[in-house]
Amino acid sequence: WSRSGLCDRVSMSMSSFAAAFKICVVGAGPSGLYTAMSLLRRLPSSRVDILEQLPVPFGLVRFGVAPDHPEVKAVDQTFVREVVEHDRARVLCNIDVGRDIDVRTLRTLYHAVVLAYGADAEKPLAVPGEELSAVVGARDWVRWYNGYPDLPSPLPMGLDRVEDVVVIGNGNVALDVARILLRPPPQLCTTDIANPALEELRHSTVKRVHLIGRRGPAQASWTARELREIVLGIPEIHTVLPELILSDVDRAELSENRTRRRCVEILQTKRTAGHCTEEGQRQLHFHFLVSPIRFEEDPLESKQLRRILCTRNQLIGPKHGQRATPLHPPATVAIPCQLAIRSVGYVGSKMDGVPMDKAARCIPNIRGRVIISPEITGNWAPLYASGWIRGGSGGNINACKWDAEETAETIADDLGQAVPRGTTSVDLTSVLRTKEINFLDHDHWSKILAREVERGIKLGKPREKFLTRQSMLEAAA
């Protein structure tokens, strides 16, 4: 360890063993950093390394939170204060676990390894026409306007050729996508939005965004704050709502869920207020109880999207178990659009040496403790999981905190009940240097962030991000 020595004697009492706990967290996004924060508090003499694949930390805070929500992004200052500047923690970036170093090696270097690398693969819709270039995923769209390194524009054409956009999904990410498309660009100029995305939005001719969800307003997974902002808080956006019909089962569900009840009340308030469109307003249309069944190509322009065909649904099932099923006889609705963005959730990716639930696409675990088959248990450190890779995508950044607390509690309990499996006295950085991995410690990756702030000041922005890994590494040198 660079900041202080670490006793590596194997024969020691349990009371002094706590001083030697070395824990590795894979992923420096909210889940990983919240987990590290809790571990540092629960195990007062432990040391925690947090590894990040990108040249800078903060993950979803930096590349997932919308640029017009700086108050949410401000959580990174908590991570700096509680983890980055902690004398028993190190954040090491530009390390690709699985390529630069494998999980098995990490399990020989630490007493516990926590997997918190997120769920970044998109769920497909699996409907005909999804392969059209004008059907894109929310992941790349959100990353693009947030300046994810080396990511080209996901758009097959300029927004100056688009009037109607369909966003598939009824969660916060779908609202973010719609809001960035509809918000007047001058309101984004003082955010940390990536400049190529801002220029594209300045030339946008988008007039209407259609939000479609397979279930009803009572089952939508957005939060009241996000919904209130786009429906009631931006005068330049005109909201168009259908009649909000709630069944007895819907009302029973809402009586037990305060957040969803407040969301329905926001929609009811807006609908009651009327639909007078003012000149220059862009429109946000809500469509409930519809599922896409086909993306239709423009007959005049090959591979260009003309419209999305949806089937109308009904809800069947008990309270909290209602499923969307097509009406019988079938009823369809066609929504014209030149661009469709799917936002129906994310799933995890398999990492060598780590089990994966093939159905749920997350790591099988009990309270964060990974369920490992005997053949990969070995005499190595146990594995744990935190965040989206543990339980699937969903929830906001605050939800990551409670998930991380539970995982950290499990680790602390496990390490306190038995002498952990042996670990070498070799430090990870020595292994990385031997392998000639160009990792970045705090002194180096913090230079990237400082340079971005300097660039942003000249433009009246909080930061102007570097948009390639190479430019980030040059700034860190």
Side-chain angles (χ1 to χ4, degrees):
W1 292 84
S2 59
R3 294 175 181 170
S4 63
L6 181 65
C7 175
D8 63 351
R9 293 192 303 270
V10 175
S11 56
M12 58 179 67
S13 67
M14 280 304 297
S15 60
S16 63
F17 215 157
F21 286 148
K22 299 196 301 181
I23 302 170
C24 178
V25 178
V26 180
S31 294
L33 292 168
Y34 272 132
T35 303
M37 188 188 309
S38 184
L39 288 168
L40 291 166
R41 186 181 72 251
R42 292 173 185 275
L43 299 170
S45 297
S46 64
R47 295 182 178 275
V48 182
D49 280 348
I50 305 98
L51 313 186
E52 171 56 45
Q53 182 262 337
L54 292 169
V56 291
F58 307 128
L60 192 66
V61 176
R62 179 180 170 97
F63 297 114
V65 176
D68 58 345
H69 283 175
E71 71 287 352
V72 180
K73 288 178 178 284
V75 72
D76 63 359
Q77 296 308 304
T78 299
F79 296 142
V80 168
R81 183 175 63 253
E82 301 293 335
V83 180
V84 173
E85 295 179 347
H86 202 292
D87 61 359
R88 290 187 286 112
R90 296 185 301 185
V91 178
L92 304 174
C93 296
N94 205 43
I95 302 170
D96 190 333
V97 174
R99 184 191 67 188
D100 298 334
I101 190 167
D102 57 38
V103 171
R104 179 175 294 185
T105 301
L106 292 178
R107 293 175 68 192
T108 68
L109 299 174
Y110 295 90
H111 294 105
V113 175
V114 186
L115 303 164
Y117 58 87
D120 65 355
E122 287 196 280
K123 292 180 181 177
L125 293 168
V127 300
E130 191 176 4
E131 72 282 356
L132 291 173
S133 61
V135 182
V136 302
R139 180 196 64 177
D140 285 349
W141 169 254
V142 169
R143 284 180 171 182
W144 177 63
Y145 66 57
N146 271 312
Y148 195 90
D150 299 307
L151 184 68
S153 170
L155 300 173
M157 80 290 276
L159 289 177
D160 57 353
R161 297 177 57 194
V162 177
E163 292 192 353
D164 288 272
V165 180
V166 165
V167 179
I168 303 153
N170 272 177
N172 279 347
V173 174
L175 290 182
D176 284 346
V177 169
R179 193 181 64 255
I180 294 299
L181 281 166
L182 295 173
R183 187 187 280 279
Q187 296 180 16
L188 297 170
C189 290
T190 55
T191 73
D192 67 353
I193 189 171
N195 196 57
L198 181 59
E199 287 303 309
E200 191 67 58
L201 290 166
R202 281 183 171 134
H203 296 94
S204 170
T205 55
V206 171
K207 295 180 180 179
R208 292 165 293 272
V209 171
H210 302 264
L211 272 178
I212 69 173
R214 60 189 173 90
R215 295 191 291 174
Q219 291 78 37
S221 58
W222 43 52
T223 56
R225 179 185 176 279
E226 295 269 356
L227 183 64
R228 184 184 297 109
E229 178 184 14
I230 194 168
V231 169
L232 302 175
I234 305 176
E236 294 85 357
I237 298 177
H238 171 67
T239 301
V240 180
L241 283 160
E243 183 180 0
L244 302 175
I245 301 174
L246 300 175
S247 68
D248 291 340
V249 181
D250 288 336
R251 293 188 180 90
E253 290 181 359
L254 293 174
S255 69
E256 299 176 6
N257 191 314
R258 181 172 177 266
T259 296
R260 292 188 176 179
R261 185 169 66 251
R262 288 170 60 197
C263 289
V264 170
E265 290 169 353
I266 290 168
L267 295 176
Q268 290 172 330
T269 297
K270 181 63 178 179
R271 181 169 170 79
T272 302
H275 297 296
C276 296
T277 307
E278 297 181 12
E279 185 177 354
Q281 279 187 317
R282 291 171 167 176
Q283 298 177 11
L284 174 63
H285 294 251
F286 286 82
H287 304 263
F288 296 109
L289 292 168
V290 293
S291 294
I293 56 174
R294 186 167 66 249
F295 295 96
E296 296 189 345
E297 189 176 348
D298 191 326
L300 301 179
E301 293 188 65
S302 177
K303 300 298 182 183
Q304 298 301 309
L305 185 60
R306 173 173 169 246
R307 66 179 188 176
I308 178 172
L309 188 65
C310 301
T311 183
R312 294 193 181 276
N313 297 327
Q314 59 184 339
L315 295 179
I316 296 176
K319 183 175 63 174
H320 305 307
Q322 295 190 88
R323 295 177 295 104
T325 60
L327 287 174
H328 186 75
T332 58
V333 58
I335 304 174
C337 60
Q338 299 80 48
L339 176 67
I341 302 174
R342 62 176 178 271
S343 178
V344 293
Y346 305 97
V347 292
S349 300
K350 179 76 169 69
M351 183 177 286
D352 287 345
V354 179
M356 175 67 73
D357 184 321
K358 293 182 179 179
R361 294 288 298 275
C362 58
I363 296 174
N365 69 92
I366 299 175
R367 292 180 58 83
R369 186 187 300 107
V370 176
I371 302 170
I372 307 177
S373 59
E375 61 267 21
I376 62 173
T377 299
N379 190 32
W380 307 305
L383 291 175
Y384 299 87
S386 182
W388 284 6
I389 196 61
R390 167 187 160 173
S393 65
N396 54 23
I397 288 176
N398 283 334
C400 297
K401 182 176 183 179
W402 308 121
D403 187 85
E405 287 286 351
E406 185 174 70
T407 295
E409 181 180 31
T410 298
I411 296 170
D413 288 346
D414 288 353
L415 295 182
Q417 290 176 6
V419 175
R421 294 183 176 91
T423 181
T424 72
S425 59
V426 176
D427 186 67
L428 172 65
T429 57
S430 298
V431 176
L432 295 173
R433 290 190 179 99
T434 300
K435 293 166 67 69
E436 298 185 342
I437 303 302
N438 183 26
F439 69 92
L440 304 179
D441 60 15
H442 174 265
D443 290 343
H444 289 88
W445 62 254
S446 62
K447 290 181 181 179
I448 301 173
L449 301 185
R451 285 284 308 279
E452 289 180 340
V453 171
E454 292 173 2
R455 286 153 45 100
I457 289 173
K458 299 176 183 178
L459 301 172
K461 303 172 64 174
R463 65 189 61 79
E464 180 66 16
K465 296 173 184 172
F466 293 103
L467 301 182
T468 66
R469 186 182 291 266
Q470 183 59 38
S471 61
M472 297 171 89
L473 295 178
E474 290 172 358

